[in-house]
Amino acid sequence: MKKSAACFSVLLLAGCLGPAPKVPAYWTIDVDSGAKAAFVTVCAPYGGQRIAVLRQDGSVAFDPANSFAASPAAIIKDALVVRGGRGAVMIRRLALDCRAAGRRDALVEIDYILGEKTGNGAASVPTADGNYTAAFSRAFEKAYAQAVKAAEDAK
């Protein structure tokens, strides 16, 4: 009986002295209010609240410590979709790109469909400062502008 109590005490102390679990962080995507669309969709598996991670081997995982404050589809739809908006936005990728050793970049790939025309846009922004909101917002802004321009310029 004494041995069990001692063992339990050691386990309890070891748990207390170990590193504290990382507090989950929640991020958003700030979308320029001047950008408007009639429809937005986010392709799987990138539409969920958990942040998708592209691994070095090309597989997709989910970051256990970082999530979006709401699903990216909801965040972007709330900012972009308006009555009378032009075009449709299809977000093909929205992830932390960890394929390059030692890097974590916010990656956004978008198709913008305007009638019969489609434009593609892609952008990657480093997250070295740890601010995922700023990185995803900037990547979205760049990819969206590129996709809209490509659709408008298409013949």
Side-chain angles (χ1 to χ4, degrees), residues 17-155:
L17 297 176
K22 190 173 181 182
V23 176
Y26 297 96
W27 306 94
T28 188
I29 300 170
D30 298 328
V31 178
D32 178 4
S33 61
K36 300 296 179 201
F39 183 78
V40 173
T41 188
V42 180
C43 297
Y46 307 105
Q49 194 169 342
R50 293 176 56 202
I51 294 180
V53 177
L54 299 176
R55 295 177 172 171
Q56 285 182 339
D57 67 2
S59 65
V60 176
F62 295 95
D63 189 327
N66 292 286
S67 297
F68 288 109
S71 76
I75 293 169
I76 294 167
K77 282 179 186 178
D78 285 350
L80 282 184
V81 176
V82 295
R83 177 176 275 154
R86 296 181 54 213
V89 174
M90 178 179 288
I91 300 171
R92 296 209 172 269
R93 276 195 177 162
L94 182 72
L96 282 176
D97 188 351
C98 298
R99 293 176 290 183
R103 290 187 57 113
R104 289 187 129 204
D105 295 337
L107 172 68
V108 179
E109 294 179 8
I110 294 174
D111 286 345
Y112 181 77
I113 301 125
L114 186 60
E116 299 290 319
K117 302 174 183 182
T118 299
N120 309 103
S124 182
V125 174
T127 63
D129 66 356
N131 185 342
Y132 290 177
T133 292
F136 276 107
S137 300
R138 185 74 180 125
F140 181 86
E141 179 184 307
K142 288 179 173 182
Y144 180 81
Q146 187 180 51
V148 169
K149 181 169 179 7
E152 290 173 345
D153 292 348
K155 296 185 185 214

